[in-house]
Amino acid sequence: VVLVSGHLDSWDVGQGAMDDGGGAFISWEALSLIKDLGLRPKRTLRLVLWTGEEQGGIGAKQYYQLHKENISNFDIVMESDEGTFQPSGLGFAGSAEARDIVKEIMTLLQPINVTDVYDSADGTDISYWMRDGVPGASLHNDINKYFWFHHSQGDTMTVQDPNQMNLCAAVWTVVSYVIADMEEMLPR
């Protein structure tokens, strides 16, 4: 299973378009693009739209409890939860060998200048999986304006730039598809 995700719930003000509608959107868009292109990877691509993230990650904890017995089937868990602004790369948590593979995958994104792989992945909703050894990835993007809107009345759709969201979706699509279509799972 290659899991792509974002959370649906928002804080008690605003619409939650950026935190974290953007992550939910690019995760949905990644699978839609793969389907529209007629691609069928070797492994399952799964979209999870978390709930209860803003209340302490209770949805992620429940999902983990329900699926942890199949942890060896999870290739990578990916979460976008810091906006969908101009992407720069991925945060990655996993073995050195897996990191080298992810770095190679990221070279495919050179045409849109999104190739960096950072030393750690963040994500409340994927933390249980990463703690137990499943490789994890989080979207890195230009968060200079993130806290202008984070948990505020200003977190509305007007914050989202469609071009930047498309670039984020491209990153999510390429990384998730290539990993799901590799002969072997990422090394633990």
Side-chain angles (χ1 to χ4, degrees), residues 3 5 76-80 90-94 102 120-123 126 130 134-140 172 175 179:
L3 186 146
S5 67
I76 189 169
V77 289
M78 299 168 57
E79 179 178 3
S80 171
L90 284 184
F92 180 77
V102 170
S120 64
D122 299 313
I126 61 173
M130 292 187 302
V134 176
S138 56
L139 180 69
H140 273 244
W172 236 220
V175 173
I179 292 174

mmCIF file of all heavy atoms in Angstrom, residues 3 5 76-80 90-94 102 120-123 126 130 134-140 172 175 179:
data_model
loop_
_atom_site.group_PDB
_atom_site.id
_atom_site.type_symbol
_atom_site.label_atom_id
_atom_site.label_comp_id
_atom_site.label_asym_id
_atom_site.label_seq_id
_atom_site.Cartn_x
_atom_site.Cartn_y
_atom_site.Cartn_z
ATOM 1 N N LEU A 3 0.219 5.012 0.604
ATOM 2 C CA LEU A 3 -0.851 5.819 1.175
ATOM 3 C C LEU A 3 -0.549 7.290 0.962
ATOM 4 O O LEU A 3 0.531 7.763 1.321
ATOM 5 C CB LEU A 3 -0.968 5.499 2.671
ATOM 6 C CG LEU A 3 -2.112 6.131 3.429
ATOM 7 C CD1 LEU A 3 -2.585 5.162 4.501
ATOM 8 C CD2 LEU A 3 -1.694 7.436 4.073
ATOM 9 N N SER A 5 -2.252 11.226 1.663
ATOM 10 C CA SER A 5 -3.267 11.707 2.599
ATOM 11 C C SER A 5 -3.174 13.200 2.892
ATOM 12 O O SER A 5 -2.163 13.850 2.658
ATOM 13 C CB SER A 5 -3.139 10.934 3.923
ATOM 14 O OG SER A 5 -1.932 11.244 4.588
ATOM 15 N N ILE A 76 4.919 3.056 1.849
ATOM 16 C CA ILE A 76 5.216 4.413 2.288
ATOM 17 C C ILE A 76 3.903 5.075 2.680
ATOM 18 O O ILE A 76 2.844 4.757 2.128
ATOM 19 C CB ILE A 76 5.935 5.240 1.183
ATOM 20 C CG1 ILE A 76 6.437 6.586 1.739
ATOM 21 C CG2 ILE A 76 5.063 5.409 -0.042
ATOM 22 C CD1 ILE A 76 7.383 7.326 0.783
ATOM 23 N N VAL A 77 3.981 5.980 3.647
ATOM 24 C CA VAL A 77 2.830 6.795 4.037
ATOM 25 C C VAL A 77 3.210 8.255 3.762
ATOM 26 O O VAL A 77 4.281 8.708 4.140
ATOM 27 C CB VAL A 77 2.432 6.574 5.516
ATOM 28 C CG1 VAL A 77 1.812 5.204 5.702
ATOM 29 C CG2 VAL A 77 3.595 6.754 6.465
ATOM 30 N N MET A 78 2.323 8.965 3.072
ATOM 31 C CA MET A 78 2.600 10.340 2.658
ATOM 32 C C MET A 78 1.486 11.247 3.173
ATOM 33 O O MET A 78 0.316 10.919 3.044
ATOM 34 C CB MET A 78 2.670 10.422 1.122
ATOM 35 C CG MET A 78 3.767 9.563 0.519
ATOM 36 S SD MET A 78 3.658 9.374 -1.287
ATOM 37 C CE MET A 78 3.685 11.062 -1.867
ATOM 38 N N GLU A 79 1.891 12.386 3.745
ATOM 39 C CA GLU A 79 0.906 13.345 4.253
ATOM 40 C C GLU A 79 1.313 14.765 3.886
ATOM 41 O O GLU A 79 2.463 15.149 4.062
ATOM 42 C CB GLU A 79 0.777 13.241 5.774
ATOM 43 C CG GLU A 79 -0.211 14.235 6.346
ATOM 44 C CD GLU A 79 -0.395 14.133 7.855
ATOM 45 O OE1 GLU A 79 0.287 13.328 8.498
ATOM 46 O OE2 GLU A 79 -1.223 14.885 8.380
ATOM 47 N N SER A 80 0.346 15.527 3.403
ATOM 48 C CA SER A 80 0.538 16.952 3.156
ATOM 49 C C SER A 80 -0.316 17.718 4.154
ATOM 50 O O SER A 80 -1.537 17.594 4.148
ATOM 51 C CB SER A 80 0.110 17.296 1.722
ATOM 52 O OG SER A 80 0.097 18.693 1.542
ATOM 53 N N LEU A 90 10.375 16.992 -0.851
ATOM 54 C CA LEU A 90 9.754 16.105 0.133
ATOM 55 C C LEU A 90 10.602 16.011 1.381
ATOM 56 O O LEU A 90 11.825 15.933 1.294
ATOM 57 C CB LEU A 90 9.650 14.673 -0.418
ATOM 58 C CG LEU A 90 8.609 14.306 -1.430
ATOM 59 C CD1 LEU A 90 8.688 12.813 -1.720
ATOM 60 C CD2 LEU A 90 7.221 14.680 -0.966
ATOM 61 N N GLY A 91 9.931 15.974 2.520
ATOM 62 C CA GLY A 91 10.586 15.507 3.723
ATOM 63 C C GLY A 91 10.486 13.995 3.700
ATOM 64 O O GLY A 91 9.464 13.448 3.272
ATOM 65 N N PHE A 92 11.533 13.311 4.128
ATOM 66 C CA PHE A 92 11.512 11.848 4.058
ATOM 67 C C PHE A 92 12.062 11.261 5.349
ATOM 68 O O PHE A 92 13.085 11.703 5.875
ATOM 69 C CB PHE A 92 12.333 11.334 2.875
ATOM 70 C CG PHE A 92 12.334 9.836 2.781
ATOM 71 C CD1 PHE A 92 11.228 9.172 2.276
ATOM 72 C CD2 PHE A 92 13.413 9.095 3.240
ATOM 73 C CE1 PHE A 92 11.195 7.787 2.218
ATOM 74 C CE2 PHE A 92 13.396 7.715 3.186
ATOM 75 C CZ PHE A 92 12.289 7.055 2.677
ATOM 76 N N ALA A 93 11.382 10.240 5.842
ATOM 77 C CA ALA A 93 11.846 9.464 6.996
ATOM 78 C C ALA A 93 11.907 8.008 6.573
ATOM 79 O O ALA A 93 10.919 7.458 6.092
ATOM 80 C CB ALA A 93 10.891 9.628 8.176
ATOM 81 N N GLY A 94 13.079 7.415 6.697
ATOM 82 C CA GLY A 94 13.255 6.023 6.320
ATOM 83 C C GLY A 94 14.726 5.685 6.257
ATOM 84 O O GLY A 94 15.582 6.498 6.612
ATOM 85 N N VAL A 102 14.290 7.509 -3.141
ATOM 86 C CA VAL A 102 13.409 8.678 -3.213
ATOM 87 C C VAL A 102 14.134 9.843 -3.896
ATOM 88 O O VAL A 102 13.545 10.561 -4.709
ATOM 89 C CB VAL A 102 12.878 9.056 -1.815
ATOM 90 C CG1 VAL A 102 12.175 10.405 -1.832
ATOM 91 C CG2 VAL A 102 11.934 7.969 -1.301
ATOM 92 N N SER A 120 13.713 14.852 7.303
ATOM 93 C CA SER A 120 12.666 14.238 8.123
ATOM 94 C C SER A 120 11.304 14.522 7.504
ATOM 95 O O SER A 120 11.136 15.485 6.771
ATOM 96 C CB SER A 120 12.709 14.764 9.560
ATOM 97 O OG SER A 120 12.415 16.148 9.586
ATOM 98 N N ALA A 121 10.361 13.655 7.822
ATOM 99 C CA ALA A 121 8.976 13.836 7.379
ATOM 100 C C ALA A 121 8.139 14.203 8.593
ATOM 101 O O ALA A 121 8.382 13.716 9.693
ATOM 102 C CB ALA A 121 8.458 12.560 6.735
ATOM 103 N N ASP A 122 7.175 15.065 8.376
ATOM 104 C CA ASP A 122 6.275 15.479 9.447
ATOM 105 C C ASP A 122 4.862 15.075 9.091
ATOM 106 O O ASP A 122 4.506 15.024 7.915
ATOM 107 C CB ASP A 122 6.315 17.001 9.626
ATOM 108 C CG ASP A 122 7.691 17.501 10.014
ATOM 109 O OD1 ASP A 122 8.296 16.905 10.916
ATOM 110 O OD2 ASP A 122 8.156 18.477 9.400
ATOM 111 N N GLY A 123 4.082 14.832 10.105
ATOM 112 C CA GLY A 123 2.673 14.548 9.874
ATOM 113 C C GLY A 123 2.064 13.832 11.057
ATOM 114 O O GLY A 123 2.430 12.698 11.350
ATOM 115 N N ILE A 126 0.515 10.434 10.053
ATOM 116 C CA ILE A 126 1.357 9.314 9.620
ATOM 117 C C ILE A 126 2.425 8.958 10.655
ATOM 118 O O ILE A 126 3.215 8.047 10.441
ATOM 119 C CB ILE A 126 2.001 9.579 8.239
ATOM 120 C CG1 ILE A 126 2.897 10.809 8.260
ATOM 121 C CG2 ILE A 126 0.922 9.679 7.163
ATOM 122 C CD1 ILE A 126 3.694 11.039 6.977
ATOM 123 N N MET A 130 5.370 5.816 10.835
ATOM 124 C CA MET A 130 6.807 6.099 10.773
ATOM 125 C C MET A 130 7.507 5.624 12.038
ATOM 126 O O MET A 130 8.607 5.084 11.968
ATOM 127 C CB MET A 130 7.040 7.586 10.528
ATOM 128 C CG MET A 130 6.599 8.038 9.147
ATOM 129 S SD MET A 130 7.049 9.743 8.735
ATOM 130 C CE MET A 130 6.275 10.679 10.041
ATOM 131 N N VAL A 134 7.707 2.299 8.981
ATOM 132 C CA VAL A 134 7.238 2.490 7.607
ATOM 133 C C VAL A 134 7.829 3.809 7.090
ATOM 134 O O VAL A 134 7.735 4.832 7.779
ATOM 135 C CB VAL A 134 5.697 2.536 7.536
ATOM 136 C CG1 VAL A 134 5.223 2.834 6.118
ATOM 137 C CG2 VAL A 134 5.098 1.231 8.046
ATOM 138 N N PRO A 135 8.440 3.807 5.903
ATOM 139 C CA PRO A 135 8.935 5.067 5.352
ATOM 140 C C PRO A 135 7.800 6.094 5.235
ATOM 141 O O PRO A 135 6.653 5.739 4.933
ATOM 142 C CB PRO A 135 9.459 4.669 3.971
ATOM 143 C CG PRO A 135 9.810 3.217 4.109
ATOM 144 C CD PRO A 135 8.756 2.660 5.032
ATOM 145 N N GLY A 136 8.140 7.349 5.475
ATOM 146 C CA GLY A 136 7.143 8.411 5.419
ATOM 147 C C GLY A 136 7.640 9.601 4.626
ATOM 148 O O GLY A 136 8.844 9.849 4.534
ATOM 149 N N ALA A 137 6.703 10.336 4.043
ATOM 150 C CA ALA A 137 7.047 11.535 3.278
ATOM 151 C C ALA A 137 6.023 12.627 3.544
ATOM 152 O O ALA A 137 4.834 12.349 3.734
ATOM 153 C CB ALA A 137 7.087 11.218 1.780
ATOM 154 N N SER A 138 6.518 13.847 3.575
ATOM 155 C CA SER A 138 5.642 15.006 3.709
ATOM 156 C C SER A 138 6.056 16.049 2.678
ATOM 157 O O SER A 138 7.236 16.170 2.338
ATOM 158 C CB SER A 138 5.709 15.590 5.125
ATOM 159 O OG SER A 138 7.036 15.923 5.486
ATOM 160 N N LEU A 139 5.075 16.767 2.169
ATOM 161 C CA LEU A 139 5.326 17.797 1.172
ATOM 162 C C LEU A 139 6.030 18.978 1.817
ATOM 163 O O LEU A 139 5.610 19.456 2.869
ATOM 164 C CB LEU A 139 4.002 18.253 0.554
ATOM 165 C CG LEU A 139 4.109 19.337 -0.510
ATOM 166 C CD1 LEU A 139 4.766 18.774 -1.771
ATOM 167 C CD2 LEU A 139 2.737 19.897 -0.832
ATOM 168 N N HIS A 140 7.096 19.435 1.197
ATOM 169 C CA HIS A 140 7.745 20.687 1.610
ATOM 170 C C HIS A 140 7.405 21.740 0.575
ATOM 171 O O HIS A 140 7.503 21.502 -0.628
ATOM 172 C CB HIS A 140 9.266 20.516 1.690
ATOM 173 C CG HIS A 140 9.713 20.004 3.010
ATOM 174 N ND1 HIS A 140 10.511 20.730 3.850
ATOM 175 C CD2 HIS A 140 9.467 18.840 3.656
ATOM 176 C CE1 HIS A 140 10.750 20.030 4.955
ATOM 177 N NE2 HIS A 140 10.118 18.874 4.852
ATOM 178 N N TRP A 172 3.045 14.853 -5.724
ATOM 179 C CA TRP A 172 2.346 13.743 -5.068
ATOM 180 C C TRP A 172 2.080 12.607 -6.055
ATOM 181 O O TRP A 172 2.218 11.439 -5.724
ATOM 182 C CB TRP A 172 1.051 14.274 -4.476
ATOM 183 C CG TRP A 172 0.811 14.071 -3.023
ATOM 184 C CD1 TRP A 172 -0.395 13.736 -2.461
ATOM 185 C CD2 TRP A 172 1.720 14.194 -1.929
ATOM 186 N NE1 TRP A 172 -0.267 13.655 -1.097
ATOM 187 C CE2 TRP A 172 1.015 13.931 -0.742
ATOM 188 C CE3 TRP A 172 3.067 14.508 -1.838
ATOM 189 C CZ2 TRP A 172 1.609 13.957 0.515
ATOM 190 C CZ3 TRP A 172 3.671 14.540 -0.586
ATOM 191 C CH2 TRP A 172 2.934 14.265 0.567
ATOM 192 N N VAL A 175 5.602 10.825 -7.214
ATOM 193 C CA VAL A 175 6.220 10.040 -6.138
ATOM 194 C C VAL A 175 5.365 8.827 -5.794
ATOM 195 O O VAL A 175 5.873 7.700 -5.700
ATOM 196 C CB VAL A 175 6.491 10.910 -4.899
ATOM 197 C CG1 VAL A 175 6.975 10.065 -3.729
ATOM 198 C CG2 VAL A 175 7.520 11.996 -5.225
ATOM 199 N N ILE A 179 6.651 4.871 -6.720
ATOM 200 C CA ILE A 179 6.870 3.934 -5.609
ATOM 201 C C ILE A 179 5.908 2.751 -5.713
ATOM 202 O O ILE A 179 6.293 1.599 -5.501
ATOM 203 C CB ILE A 179 6.772 4.651 -4.244
ATOM 204 C CG1 ILE A 179 7.965 5.611 -4.096
ATOM 205 C CG2 ILE A 179 6.738 3.644 -3.093
ATOM 206 C CD1 ILE A 179 7.914 6.488 -2.865
#
